[in-house]
Amino acid sequence: MGPEIESLFFEPVDGHASKALAKMIKFGDSAHWTERLRSAWTVFILSLEMRMPEDLEILRAKWPALMEAWSAQAEGRYSNIRKEADPTTYREYRSLLPPSEDEKLLFDALMKMINNPTLGQFINNMFWDVIDTSAAGIQLLTSDRPIIRSNGIVGDHGHIVIPISPNRIFAASNTIAARATFKSMPITQLINEVNLRVVRSAAKFVYSTDIIHQDLICSNFGIEQQPRQFELSIARFIKELTGSAGK
């Protein structure tokens, strides 16, 4: 990531999210959510699914298809503002842009996908809980891929789970039934399942406060990595652009 996108986009996102995290750790399930903090935490969750080095590689690989959809969507607007000396089509105009401008467009697309209002509002509207696991005396693990989610969060059992401290779990559920599953699960079972999923999803690092989980980590590290949400978001973004172009 370039320094500009880090300072202009990710630093504010991380700053607001850190306030939300501090509130969850301090107040647990009694935390009061303002609209701003709730949205900040949602954007942070989405950013974790789209800001890793491999995500940028995915974006660069999909960039030609994305730009083709973007160009088709932009043709109408371009024809309305085009001057006589300008290239005839937006595609021609784009082909003349310097590489630095193309790179800027790439990062603009990245930020739009992370700050997706439709997906963001959906997550904002889920049932949110902070589960205190301290009574079990077993520490939660985290990793460089800490988000546990269902295969499609819009389903009846759709959920997002993230260990946010050694004894706190953030859980967002799409339905009351999915929420009840987390609420009714014995704490030890929940911890063990979260730790197992976090370790299996890890790419390079797992973080622990002690070595008690060493065997679990060594035997399960990285064996069940989830598909990156980023690919789904790029496909959705292309579909949205193509749909707009056809209207």
Side-chain angles (χ1 to χ4, degrees), residues 50-68:
M50 303 184 192
R51 68 193 292 181
M52 302 303 176
E54 64 266 32
D55 296 323
L56 195 54
E57 292 176 11
I58 291 170
L59 178 56
R60 292 192 189 283
K62 301 284 186 180
W63 189 240
L66 186 57
M67 281 296 94
E68 179 62 25

Side-chain angles (χ1 to χ4, degrees), residues 119-228:
L119 182 55
Q121 191 59 53
F122 183 87
I123 295 174
N124 279 353
N125 291 339
M126 295 174 82
F127 297 102
W128 287 17
D129 293 288
V130 180
I131 303 169
D132 184 351
T133 64
S134 56
I138 305 173
Q139 301 289 289
L140 290 160
L141 301 173
T142 191
S143 75
D144 52 0
R145 302 292 183 274
I147 298 177
I148 302 168
R149 54 178 164 78
S150 54
N151 183 20
I153 62 173
V154 299
D156 290 342
H157 299 286
H159 63 265
I160 300 170
V161 174
I162 311 171
I164 56 174
S165 82
N167 53 27
R168 291 282 193 281
I169 295 171
F170 168 81
S173 309
N174 187 33
T175 63
I176 293 176
R179 186 186 202 188
T181 299
F182 290 113
K183 290 285 195 177
S184 62
M185 188 180 296
I187 290 297
T188 299
Q189 179 185 348
L190 179 60
I191 293 170
N192 289 338
E193 289 195 16
V194 168
N195 282 347
L196 182 62
R197 292 286 300 278
V198 164
V199 171
R200 288 186 168 187
S201 297
K204 294 182 179 180
F205 302 103
V206 170
Y207 305 96
S208 176
T209 57
D210 52 45
I211 63 170
I212 195 171
H213 297 295
Q214 184 173 353
D215 290 343
L216 171 73
I217 296 169
C218 290
S219 58
N220 290 279
F221 186 90
I223 66 174
E224 199 175 275
Q225 293 184 17
Q226 298 184 82
R228 296 300 288 166

